[in-house]
Amino acid sequence: MSVLVLVEPGEELSLQALTLARDLGSAVHAAVIADSSAASSLGPYGVSTVHVAEDDRLSAYAPAAWAACLDQLIDRIQPDAVVAAGTNRGNEVLGHLAARRDLPFAANVIAVGGDGSVTRVRWGGSLLEEARINSDLKLLTVAPHMVEASTVNGAEAAVESFAPDLTDADLVVRVVEHAETPSAGVSLAEAKVVVSGGRGVGSADGFGMLEELAGLLNAAVGCSRVVTMAGWRPHTDQVGQTGTKVAPDLYIACGISGATQHIAGCKGAKKILAINSDAEAPILANADYAVIGDLAEIVPAITEELRKAGS
Ligand SMILES: Cc1cc2nc3c(=O)[nH]c(=O)nc-3n(C[C@H](O)[C@H](O)[C@H](O)COP(=O)(O)OP(=O)(O)OC[C@H]3O[C@@H](n4cnc5c(N)ncnc54)[C@H](O)[C@@H]3O)c2cc1C
């Protein structure tokens, strides 16, 4: 059994993907696109050979071109599975690969068994699904931060370059510019006040009102796993068992139900204020204060009162 893993240079989630991939095959091949800087460090993660796709046109990320590289490596290596990290890129590239090969693709996998059985995280982490991938070649991505990256030995991986055959169509969609996001002022792990949002916030834009409140309180903004899985906030903002553990003086949980995995990350808070429309939400068992109602009304009202008090 052999497995091919797409490795994104500098991406820790790729090391988690390599760790899970070892359960799929005794021969682990890694594919890196254009940037071979990490190739020599992959041996300890069980990689026997690193295949480096080299083409000047690959200097900018191009999802279809990356999929073409994997497609051509599959013909050469004949792996039983192709694995990528559950990053935006990993999921996008394997989506393209699945379309090219007309194969099923399982995202957010956290464990693999025999006969193509996989355990997947669904519904923002509230459900674990047992599924089976019914194809000879299995395509899957590994759910972020659900598998701990580990090394197996100190062996060196062989590094082999190859020139992929790319068409103009493979390069139509590509990165042309990088825009930096402004850095947040207060770090989540050290903030004295954390304003955190869950599914109840409703959208990425909904976090605007939490940002505003956090700004007045010199607080950091956190969130639940549902929020990071939906792509509303980055994983670095996630509080919980598989996120950051916080211990602020005050933790304001807005539209967060209070699952045990979330509480694991905020139970160190001195005081918890829950804002929730459900008077029966489990978070209330851990909260020191609660406001029952729609956060879209309550959060702006608190912000307004703070502004009045400060002016
Ligand atoms: C292995 C594993 C690890 C996990 N790790 C984490 C982790 O690190 N962190 C984490 O957070 N979760 C984690 N989870 C997921 C966790 O089990 C829950 O699914 C998740 O925390 C639920 O997020 P939520 O509270 O935002 O969403 P929900 O459970 O859907 O709750 C939404 C809440 O918002 C309220 N609400 C809805 N609309 C409004 C409104 N307008 N105003 C006010 N309230 C409203 C609802 O009453 C509800 O209480 C993990 C799960 C697994 C299986």
Side-chain angles (χ1 to χ4, degrees):
M1 294 278 282
S2 71
V3 54
L4 174 64
V5 183
L6 172 65
V7 172
E8 297 172 51
E11 176 55 78
E12 204 228 324
L13 300 186
S14 290
L15 304 180
Q16 297 173 12
L18 283 171
T19 303
L20 181 133
R22 296 201 298 263
D23 293 339
L24 278 162
S26 47
V28 179
H29 296 258
V32 296
I33 313 296
D35 179 352
S36 62
S37 57
S40 59
S41 63
L42 298 180
Y45 291 89
V47 175
S48 56
T49 309
V50 182
H51 304 267
V52 184
E54 288 188 344
D55 186 305
D56 288 347
R57 293 169 296 171
L58 288 168
S59 57
Y61 172 64
W66 283 38
C69 295
L70 293 182
D71 202 9
Q72 289 160 39
L73 274 176
I74 290 167
D75 290 339
R76 189 195 295 197
I77 300 165
Q78 300 288 324
D80 300 283
V82 180
V83 176
T87 56
N88 289 341
R89 289 186 178 189
N91 283 317
E92 185 174 34
V93 173
L94 258 62
H96 275 279
L97 184 61
R100 288 175 88 105
R101 292 240 159 198
D102 196 19
L103 286 172
F105 155 41
N108 282 321
V109 170
I110 62 169
V112 291
D115 297 337
S117 66
V118 293
T119 307
R120 307 201 307 138
V121 186
R122 302 289 309 272
W123 293 356
S126 54
L127 174 75
L128 292 181
E129 175 192 85
E130 300 295 334
R132 185 176 300 265
I133 309 176
N134 291 305
S135 58
D136 290 338
L137 176 62
K138 325 271 185 247
L139 305 185
L140 58 99
T141 56
V142 180
H145 305 286
M146 300 291 265
V147 175
E148 196 173 340
S150 65
T151 55
V152 274
N153 55 40
E156 280 206 8
V159 179
E160 293 179 8
S161 298
F162 74 102
D165 188 10
L166 302 175
T167 65
D168 288 347
D170 293 329
L171 295 148
V172 168
V173 176
R174 63 189 194 288
V175 171
V176 293
E177 187 189 352
H178 290 272
E180 296 294 325
T181 48
S183 62
V186 194
S187 101
L188 186 58
E190 289 162 16
K192 294 281 177 219
V193 180
V194 173
V195 180
S196 203
R199 193 197 301 270
V201 174
S203 66
D205 287 346
F207 272 83
M209 64 186 145
L210 273 62
E211 294 273 10
E212 206 178 337
L213 176 59
L216 289 175
L217 294 170
N218 195 27
V221 173
C223 67
S224 72
R225 184 171 177 90
V226 163
V227 169
T228 55
M229 295 286 280
W232 298 348
R233 305 287 296 187
H235 179 265
T236 45
D237 284 2
Q238 184 182 310
V239 172
Q241 180 186 316
T242 47
T244 303
K245 312 270 186 299
V246 298
D249 293 339
L250 177 63
Y251 186 76
I252 307 178
C254 310
I256 293 176
S257 62
T260 49
Q261 295 90 352
H262 187 84
I263 298 298
C266 64
K267 65 184 177 198
K270 291 202 181 89
K271 298 284 180 199
I272 295 179
L273 161 62
I275 300 173
N276 202 299
S277 51
D278 178 6
E280 305 290 320
I283 186 98
L284 299 182
N286 295 88
D288 300 278
Y289 314 100
V291 183
I292 307 301
D294 184 354
L295 68 91
E297 292 172 13
I298 295 159
V299 173
I302 297 173
T303 303
E304 197 184 322
E305 288 303 316
L306 284 172
R307 282 199 201 288
K308 275 190 216 155
S311 60

